[in-house]
Amino acid sequence: MSYNVTLPRHSKIGAGAAADLGTLCVQVGITRPVLVTDGYLADTGQADRLLGILREAGCEPALFAETVPDPTSSSLLPGLETVRRHRADGVIGFGGGSPMDTAKALAVLAVAEGDISSFKAPNLYAGPALPIVAVPTTAGSGSEATQFTVITDDDTDEKMLCPGLSFLPIATVIDFELTISMPARLTADTGVDALTHAIEAYVSRRANPFSDGMALVAMRTISANLRRAYADGEDRAAREAMMLASTQAGMAFSNASVALVHGMSRPIGGHFHVAHGLSNAMLLPAVTRFSAQAATARYAECARAMRVADDAASDAVAAGALVDELDALCADVAVPSPAQYGIDSTDWDSRLEVMAAQALASGSPANNPRVPDADEVIELYQAIYQ
């Protein structure tokens, strides 16, 4: 049986790769890009550096530095105005998942009709869009390699998953030196996010041999390097390894889809403004424990890839070792529960039914080895609260 694999057309990877951004844009036919980023990267001068690189290559760039964490439908409007006013022929997402997701949405909205809600799953959009270049500064979201963007609906607090080939960057710049300044908390959250991408891609009902290879390599690399990067942000070898693994995990889940962790994670972010990677980390051990018996062999291979079980261990023992390792990893990088994060229990409980409905409606839980009903999703939310 055949399966589809979609990837960015060009990737510049390695230390100092950001210096090639201008020539890469020209190579793919972009000369009037809008650089989409956040206030931090603008204030620290990193955005200006990229604007200079673009100008040196003969481009005429404009800057939009007003992206927000967990972008919303309304936060796209000033960016869309910038893209249209500049008569942009391409969009560059520079930053973590939020700037890249914003850039992807702007690339589609600048050309297509309708607001962003018309592109949410189960719709798949492969129509006209501006070309996208992605320059990640975190090792986690994998958005630089995926055909998805996630935007929150202002009216409902729903985190909308918007899929389709038009959201896939045409080119990426993977420069681990851009991640050296990431604080420990962000390192942990984005790192567990990348691990979640790899594990969910591997156990997804839509997994395939290509995504399996990418996922297993990413798991092995993240398992060996996340604690190191968390403990010492100046560990260049660990940073480089995490950056490449994040992109590989992104390629894996873009071609196999994520599953229950992500389906349940998006409502937590939408309702309680928890960063996406952190909400994934809150859920990963519990959801893995819930799912393991439905795909014991697959979870066992995850454990072996992460070197927490060997070939001599039975699949059941190895899958159990994986759950134990995820508990230990989240403890080692200080992942808080929703209660420890400061979410009020009454507020949490009052939203469980709507969060469960939104999780299931996203479609991601249907890819899980064990597909839950609404009551089981609520039970999982209750289990992770404390």
Side-chain angles (χ1 to χ4, degrees), residues 7 12-14 100 136 138-146 172-176 179 182 187 190-202 210-227 229 236-254 305-307 329:
L7 300 169
K12 292 282 187 178
I13 302 173
M100 287 190 286
T138 64
S141 78
S143 186
E144 69 276 5
T146 75
T172 65
V173 175
I174 313 299
D175 186 343
F176 78 89
T179 71
M182 280 202 310
T187 298
T190 56
V192 178
D193 190 20
L195 180 60
T196 305
H197 293 153
I199 292 174
E200 291 212 297
Y202 191 72
F210 176 87
S211 61
D212 284 353
M214 287 288 182
L216 290 169
V217 168
M219 280 182 245
R220 177 172 289 118
T221 303
I222 294 166
S223 179
N225 290 279
L226 177 52
R227 289 179 176 91
R236 289 175 61 86
R239 288 293 198 192
E240 183 171 18
M242 287 297 300
M243 191 66 158
L244 182 57
S246 173
T247 299
Q248 290 169 326
M251 290 176 174
F253 89 81
S254 184
M306 293 168 63
R307 297 196 170 102
L329 175 62

Side-chain angles (χ1 to χ4, degrees), residues 5 12 115 162 165 210 236 262 302 317 381:
V5 173
K12 292 282 187 178
D115 59 30
C162 303
L165 286 175
F210 176 87
R236 289 175 61 86
H262 276 73
C302 295
V317 169
Y381 279 135

Side-chain angles (χ1 to χ4, degrees), residues 276-298:
H276 173 69
L278 179 54
S279 57
N280 275 344
M282 291 173 173
L283 287 157
L284 180 59
V287 171
T288 303
R289 187 176 293 109
F290 170 84
S291 307
Q293 288 187 347
T296 306
R298 282 257 148 182

